Amino acid sequence: MTLVKVMPQCPVCQTEYQEDSQSKCVTCGWDLVSIAHLGQIPKSFESREINHLQWAKNRWSQLRLQQLKQEENKQQIEQITRTRNELESLYSETQEQLSSTQFQVSTTQQQNKALQSQLQQLKTSNNELANQNAQVQSQLTTANNNSTHYQSQIRSRGIQRIILFIILGLMGTSSGIIGYFGYKEITRLEQKNSSLASELQSSRQDLESKNKRIDELESSKDNLSRRLSNLRSQHRDLEKSKQGIENDLSKVKDYYQRYLNKHKIIYQGHSLTWNGELSSSNKTMWTNRIILDKGSYLDISLSNLTKDADFEIVNSSGNSVTNSRQTKVGEDSLSNFYLSKGSYQIKVWLVGSDSTTYRLNVYRRNK
């Protein structure tokens, strides 16, 4: 069976040590040799040494408590700093999203206007082509009527020419001149009929071309109408997205403002000021929580007093750090007072029952 040697512990901080090789505790610095000879010294010295040891234990407990509070304050400051950075980042991202959405809305509105202008131009072109189509249809109808009329005349003239040739053949060659002029008239009418037929064919081709153009314009109009409808739908979606982002941004601003209302970060070379009045019904005032990102020297003054009032610095655990309880009217102050990293509040209260105004100023030095 193996025996485990139990190492002795410092009576102040309970740190284990090597009995034969250490004369002082490496943690708290307590004299370990005097403990070993505690039962070998006179009773009067032993009692004093025991009291000294008890004082050291109490002092060490206080120091450990302060260290734990400092660690807690440090964690609170780090959490507050992270929260502030996250809020600032969220605020920046929301602003960028809002700017992007506003740009998209503006772009969509411009595209909407451009499409509406194109649609109006197409409607105008469509109306013009419809008018031209009506004119061509009218011309085509007139040409058809003229062609029918001339064809009727040609058929009539052809019959007349046949009859004329028969008569002339019966009359003999003496009537050749009359036949010649009749033939010329018939030939002229045939040429005119051919010209009208050619014009009719050209008018039909022009009409077909314009009808095709009208169909193209109608198709383009339908496409533009669909695009316009899509853009309007996108515009509505963007407006909803914009409204949502603006609502989120408003919430971030409200939360950030509430955060700033509860916490005040004081920077080197800057000061914070509170003004107010104390009375019998309102004898105490608490400041916002003041944040120090590192240990600093502060100048704190309570002025504009017509009656006696005092102030007290309280840490995040609710414990008093120090106070100024001067019994004079006019001003109380703490100059070049050091505070470690952490969060604090300052309590101002009225001494007595008479009302007084006050001005509390906290200045952080550049060191």
Side-chain angles (χ1 to χ4, degrees):
M1 180 176 179
T2 304
L3 296 178
V4 179
K5 183 179 180 180
V6 179
M7 297 180 65
Q9 295 180 340
C10 172
V12 176
C13 66
Q14 309 303 316
T15 302
E16 294 182 344
Y17 66 92
Q18 296 288 342
E19 188 173 8
D20 298 332
S21 59
Q22 288 183 239
S23 60
K24 288 187 177 182
C25 178
V26 295
T27 302
C28 65
W30 184 256
D31 184 4
L32 301 173
V33 177
S34 62
I35 297 301
H37 301 287
L38 189 61
Q40 304 173 7
I41 60 177
K43 293 293 183 180
S44 59
F45 288 102
E46 181 179 354
S47 177
R48 187 175 62 180
E49 197 66 28
I50 291 174
N51 291 335
H52 187 201
L53 176 60
Q54 187 62 40
W55 172 86
K57 288 182 178 180
N58 293 336
R59 183 57 181 165
W60 177 254
S61 297
Q62 292 176 358
L63 289 174
R64 286 295 299 158
L65 183 60
Q66 289 180 0
Q67 289 176 352
L68 291 175
K69 289 180 179 178
Q70 288 178 355
E71 288 294 327
E72 181 182 356
N73 290 338
K74 180 180 178 182
Q75 292 176 0
Q76 289 180 352
I77 291 175
E78 290 175 350
Q79 179 63 34
I80 290 172
T81 303
R82 286 195 299 269
T83 303
R84 184 187 65 182
N85 293 336
E86 289 174 358
L87 285 173
E88 290 176 348
S89 176
L90 179 60
Y91 182 81
S92 177
E93 291 176 359
T94 309
Q95 284 282 23
E96 291 177 359
Q97 291 179 1
L98 181 60
S99 299
S100 176
T101 303
Q102 288 175 339
F103 175 76
Q104 291 178 6
V105 170
S106 176
T107 303
T108 304
Q109 289 175 342
Q110 292 176 358
Q111 292 177 350
N112 192 0
K113 290 180 180 179
L115 285 175
Q116 287 179 342
S117 176
Q118 292 179 11
L119 189 59
Q120 186 61 38
Q121 292 176 1
L122 283 175
K123 287 180 179 178
T124 302
S125 300
N126 195 7
N127 291 334
E128 291 176 353
L129 285 173
N131 293 332
Q132 293 178 7
N133 190 15
Q135 293 176 3
V136 172
Q137 287 282 11
S138 177
Q139 292 174 2
L140 185 59
T141 301
T142 302
N144 282 330
N145 293 335
N146 290 335
S147 177
T148 303
H149 174 69
Y150 284 115
Q151 286 177 356
S152 177
Q153 286 186 350
I154 289 171
R155 285 194 297 270
S156 176
R157 294 289 184 176
I159 295 171
Q160 291 176 3
R161 183 175 59 177
I162 293 171
I163 295 173
L164 182 61
F165 283 152
I166 293 171
I167 295 172
L168 290 175
L170 295 173
M171 292 177 63
T173 58
S174 60
S175 301
I177 294 175
I178 297 173
Y180 172 76
F181 285 107
Y183 174 79
K184 293 289 289 185
E185 178 64 14
I186 292 171
T187 302
R188 185 183 68 80
L189 289 174
E190 288 177 345
Q191 290 176 349
K192 190 170 185 180
N193 181 57
S194 177
S195 176
L196 286 173
S198 177
E199 290 179 3
L200 181 61
Q201 181 64 26
S202 176
S203 297
R204 285 174 176 169
Q205 291 176 352
D206 188 36
L207 180 62
E208 290 176 357
S209 175
K210 285 181 170 143
N211 284 331
K212 184 177 179 181
R213 177 59 178 162
I214 288 173
D215 292 338
E216 292 174 353
L217 288 174
E218 287 292 341
S219 176
S220 179
K221 175 184 173 182
D222 292 338
N223 291 333
L224 286 174
S225 297
R226 284 192 294 271
R227 288 182 59 191
L228 183 60
S229 177
N230 291 334
L231 282 175
R232 286 174 177 168
S233 176
Q234 292 176 10
H235 184 265
R236 287 192 296 269
D237 293 340
L238 286 173
E239 284 292 343
K240 290 180 182 178
S241 177
K242 175 185 174 184
Q243 186 63 41
I245 292 175
E246 288 177 346
N247 291 337
D248 293 340
L249 181 61
S250 177
K251 291 178 182 178
V252 171
K253 286 181 179 178
D254 292 341
Y255 182 80
Y256 191 56
Q257 188 60 47
R258 289 196 300 270
Y259 172 82
L260 292 179
N261 290 338
K262 293 180 180 179
H263 301 81
K264 296 291 184 182
I265 301 175
I266 183 169
Y267 300 98
Q268 289 185 337
H270 292 75
S271 62
L272 297 174
T273 303
W274 291 266
N275 295 286
E277 183 176 356
L278 300 173
S279 64
S280 58
S281 61
N282 183 30
K283 300 187 71 171
T284 304
M285 186 281 297
W286 288 88
T287 66
N288 306 86
R289 190 170 295 279
I290 301 171
I291 306 298
L292 293 177
D293 57 350
K294 63 179 180 179
S296 303
Y297 289 91
L298 304 177
D299 294 331
I300 306 173
S301 64
L302 182 64
S303 59
N304 289 357
L305 299 173
T306 57
K307 297 295 180 180
D308 187 20
D310 296 317
F311 67 86
E312 181 179 25
I313 303 174
V314 179
N315 61 22
S316 59
S317 300
N319 299 322
S320 175
V321 177
T322 188
N323 60 61
S324 172
R325 299 191 179 184
Q326 303 177 27
T327 59
K328 62 180 181 179
V329 176
E331 180 175 355
D332 280 0
S333 63
L334 286 175
S335 181
N336 201 27
F337 182 76
Y338 181 82
L339 282 178
S340 60
K341 176 181 178 180
S343 61
Y344 303 88
Q345 282 184 285
I346 299 179
K347 172 186 175 183
V348 181
W349 72 91
L350 178 66
V351 178
S353 58
D354 295 330
S355 300
T356 181
T357 58
Y358 69 87
R359 176 183 177 86
L360 178 66
N361 185 75
V362 180
Y363 173 75
R364 181 178 176 182
R365 296 193 175 194
N366 287 315
K367 63 178 182 177

